[in-house]
Amino acid sequence: MTDLGSLAGPSGHSGAAAVDGAIVVGTSSVPDGPGSTTHGFAYSLRTGTMTDLGTLGGSSSTANDISGSTVVGQSRTAANALSGYAYDLRTGTRTDLGPRFLIAQLISGDTVVGGDSLLSSSYDLKTHEIHMIGSGRGVTEVRQIVRDVVVGDNFAPNSFAFVARVDSGDFTYLPSLGGLNSAAAQINGHGVVAGSAALPPADPVTANGPFHAAVWIPHAAE
C-alpha cells in the first residue's frame, strides 16, 4: 500500500478516482484553503510526484477519470459556474466541456462522456463535436466507456440497461431475465456487459422477481 499524500501535505485529505498505467488521478484539498475547496490531481507512480490540475478559473475542481494522458473532471469557472473539463498532461491543454458534462465524466481515447443529471452526451476532443446519447427521454446515466462503446442505464421511468456507440449513434436496450428491469455496470474490450437483471415476477401485479447478476454477450457476426 502506498500513501499518495495530498496537495495540502500530510494534514490534507485526498481520494483517488482512477488509474491508467502509472498515473493515478483524484481530488485533494489544497494548501491554505478550506477543506471544502479541492483541486483535481495526477500522481505519477514512477516519480512519486503529485501534480495540481488547477481549475477553469474558479476556486475548485475534481478529477474523475483518465485515459492515456488526458484527465477529465468537473471545475468551477471564473464566473463560478460548474463545467466539465479535459486536461492533457503532456501539453497542459485544458478544454472546457461545458455544462452538459457536469457529472460522471469518463474518457476513452479522445472520447469523453458525461451528463448533466438528466441527459448524457459524448464529446470528441479532436473535432469538439457533442452528441446526445440515446433518445433524450427520461434520465440517461453512463457507467463506463471502452473505445466508442458506452454502457449505462436509462430511467424512463423504469430502469433499463443500454449499450450505445458514440461513433454511429446506435442505442440498444439490454433485456431482463424475464422481469421488467435491468442495470448495466461495466463493459470489457470484447463488448461483454456485466450488470444485473430481473427474473419473472411471482405474481401478475409485480413487475420484477429477484435481481440476479447477469452478462450480455454480443452476437457473433454471421
Side-chain angles (χ1 to χ4, degrees), residues 105-120:
Q105 304 90 5
L106 301 171
I107 182 170
S108 181
D110 294 311
T111 303
V112 183
V113 294
D116 60 4
S117 76
L118 181 61
L119 301 177
S120 292

Side-chain angles (χ1 to χ4, degrees), residues 5 22 56 71 93 121 139 151 166 173 197:
L56 289 169
V71 185
T93 302
S121 303
V139 177
V151 294
V166 296
Y173 285 113

Side-chain angles (χ1 to χ4, degrees), residues 119-153:
L119 301 177
S120 292
S121 303
S122 65
Y123 188 108
D124 190 315
L125 291 170
K126 286 185 175 179
T127 65
H128 303 290
E129 293 181 344
I130 298 176
H131 297 285
M132 186 174 63
I133 297 172
S135 65
R137 294 180 298 174
V139 177
T140 304
E141 295 182 352
V142 294
R143 304 294 185 203
Q144 191 184 19
I145 178 171
V146 175
R147 293 189 288 274
D148 291 316
V149 184
V150 181
V151 294
D153 296 326

Side-chain angles (χ1 to χ4, degrees), residues 158-177:
N158 286 289
S159 175
F160 304 102
F162 71 82
V163 59
R165 294 196 63 96
V166 296
D167 52 352
S168 65
D170 291 344
F171 186 90
T172 304
Y173 285 113
L174 301 177
S176 69
L177 293 169

Side-chain angles (χ1 to χ4, degrees), residues 4 6 47 49-50 97 106 112 116 124 130 135 138 152 170 190 192:
L4 304 187
S6 81
T47 65
T49 56
M50 179 178 284
L97 303 177
L106 301 171
V112 183
D116 60 4
D124 190 315
I130 298 176
S135 65
D170 291 344
H190 299 289
V192 178

Side-chain angles (χ1 to χ4, degrees), residues 20 40 46 50 53 63 72 101 103-104 106 116 128 145 148 169 180 187 213-215:
D20 188 12
R46 293 193 179 98
M50 179 178 284
L53 300 183
V72 293
F101 297 86
I103 60 173
L106 301 171
D116 60 4
H128 303 290
I145 178 171
D148 291 316
L180 179 63
I187 184 172
V215 293

